Amino acid sequence: MADRLLGFVGVGRMGGPMASRLLDAGYRLCIYDVSEEATKPLVARGAELAASPAEVASTAEVVLMSLPTPDVVREVALGGNGGIINGSRVRTLINLSTTGPGVATEVAARLAERQIGWVDAPVSGGVTGAKAGTLAVMVSCPTPAFNEVEPVLKVFGRLFHTGEKPGLAQTAKLANNLLAAAAMVITSEAMAMGVKAGLDAKILIDIINASSGRNSATQDKFPRSILTGTFDFGFATGLSYKDVRLCVDEAEALGVPMVVGAAVREMLAVTNARFGAASDFTCIAKVLEEWAGVEIRA
C-alpha cells in the first residue's frame, strides 16, 4: 500500500493534518482546496496540486474529502464539470466530513450510477486527534470496500465499522457530537451557578472530575480553553450548531423525541448569533458568563 497515489479534497483545519499523516505513512497525494494557503505546506512536501476536484478524481482511484457542510459535500461530489463524479479514474470516494445520513444516502446513490463506491468515514477527535492520529473513525460501507480502505483510514486513528448502509456512520457521528455539545451546555450552566454562589472554578472542576458529574467538557474543554480564558478548543460554533441541528432533524424524521437535544440546539443558536459561526464552540460558556454576570476562570 505504501507509495500508492491517493486524492484528497479539502485540506483545511482537519483535512490538512490528515493529509499530512498520509504523506508521513508513505502515500503520494493529489490534492485540491479552494484555499491556496491550505495547500502550500502539502505541496512543499511533494503533493501534486490539482485545479479542481474532478482533476483529483481523474488522477487517483481512491479520493478522500474533508469538507465543512453537507451542501459543500454535495457540490464537490456531484456538481457540474468540476465535481468528483466527473473524474475519469476515481473508483472509491471516502467522505471524512459530517453530512448527516440524508446527504450521504443521496450522494452514494448518484455515485453508484457511475460505478463509484461511497465510504462514509466521519471522524471525531478534533484537530489535535487529526495531528496525532488518534481520531475515532466511524465507517459505513460494504465489507469488501472496508477491507480495501482500512489501511488508509487506520493512519488517522481507531476504526469502527458501523455497517454497510450509507449514512450509518453519519448517524453515529451526529449522536456523538450531540452528547459533546450537551456536555458543554450543561457544564457551563453548572459552573456559572457554582461560581456565582462563590465557589472557585478550578476547585469545582476538580470536584466534578473526581465525582459522578465528570464528562468530556469538565475533563478536557474547561481546563484547556475555559478556565484559561482562551476559548480556543479548535471546533467552530457554526459547525457544532450544524451537527446538532442535523442530529435533531434526523431524530424527528425517525420519530424519536429529542427534548434535551432541541434545547442544546437552541443554546448553540444563541452562541452562534452572539459570537459568530467562526467562534470556538467553548464560547457557550461565555454566554453563560454574560447571563450570570460572572467569569468562569481559574
Side-chain angles (χ1 to χ4, degrees):
M1 195 65 77
D3 200 41
R4 182 179 183 182
L5 175 64
L6 302 172
F8 208 120
V9 178
V11 290
R13 284 180 61 83
M14 286 295 292
M18 286 190 280
S20 183
R21 288 195 61 83
L22 290 173
L23 290 173
D24 290 342
Y27 291 96
R28 294 179 294 120
L29 293 181
C30 178
I31 63 171
Y32 173 79
D33 195 285
V34 293
S35 167
E36 182 181 349
E37 287 301 310
T39 61
K40 276 183 179 179
L42 297 168
V43 171
R45 295 190 57 194
E48 176 185 344
L49 182 62
S52 69
E55 186 174 318
V56 173
S58 293
T59 304
E61 291 186 354
V62 175
V63 176
L64 303 94
M65 62 179 179
S66 178
L67 301 167
T69 68
D71 287 343
V72 173
V73 167
R74 183 190 289 110
E75 178 62 25
V76 168
L78 306 176
N81 293 327
I84 289 170
I85 195 171
N86 297 298
S88 60
R89 189 172 174 80
V90 61
R91 292 294 173 264
T92 302
L93 177 57
I94 302 173
N95 178 36
L96 301 162
S97 324
T98 303
T99 65
V103 168
T105 302
E106 173 193 346
V107 176
R110 289 281 304 280
L111 292 174
E113 296 172 1
R114 301 281 188 93
Q115 287 75 53
I116 301 171
W118 170 262
V119 177
D120 263 323
V123 300
S124 180
V127 175
T128 300
K131 291 178 179 178
T134 58
L135 295 170
V137 186
M138 294 146 269
V139 187
S140 54
C141 64
T143 299
F146 178 76
N147 293 336
E148 179 187 351
V149 302
E150 184 179 13
V152 174
L153 295 178
K154 273 187 173 180
V155 173
F156 306 140
R158 184 180 176 187
L159 308 190
F160 299 87
H161 189 202
T162 62
E164 300 201 347
K165 180 182 175 184
L168 278 179
Q170 293 292 334
T171 300
K173 175 65 187 296
L174 294 182
N176 175 78
N177 281 21
L178 171 65
L179 290 170
M184 266 299 308
V185 171
I186 197 64
T187 301
S188 297
E189 292 182 349
M191 289 297 296
M193 179 193 71
V195 172
K196 183 92 176 195
L199 285 164
D200 179 89
K202 174 66 166 58
I203 292 174
L204 181 53
I205 280 291
D206 289 344
I207 291 168
I208 294 169
N209 283 334
S211 307
S212 58
R214 64 187 179 276
N215 59 63
S216 62
T218 64
Q219 292 178 314
D220 192 9
K221 299 174 183 69
F222 267 75
R224 189 197 305 184
S225 301
I226 297 172
L227 298 186
T228 59
T230 56
F231 299 93
D232 60 352
F233 186 74
F235 190 54
T237 297
L239 293 179
S240 183
Y241 179 37
K242 177 261 296 183
D243 292 350
V244 171
R245 189 174 67 245
L246 285 171
C247 187
V248 174
D249 289 348
E250 179 65 13
E252 290 177 351
L254 292 169
V256 177
M258 273 204 173
V259 178
V260 175
V264 173
R265 177 184 60 188
E266 291 308 304
M267 191 65 204
L268 278 161
V270 170
T271 306
N272 196 64
R274 173 65 182 85
F275 294 105
S279 67
D280 196 88
F281 94 127
T282 55
C283 286
I284 291 169
K286 274 190 176 182
V287 173
L288 267 298
E289 285 185 330
E290 291 183 353
W291 289 354
V294 298
E295 281 196 350
I296 307 171
R297 311 292 164 86

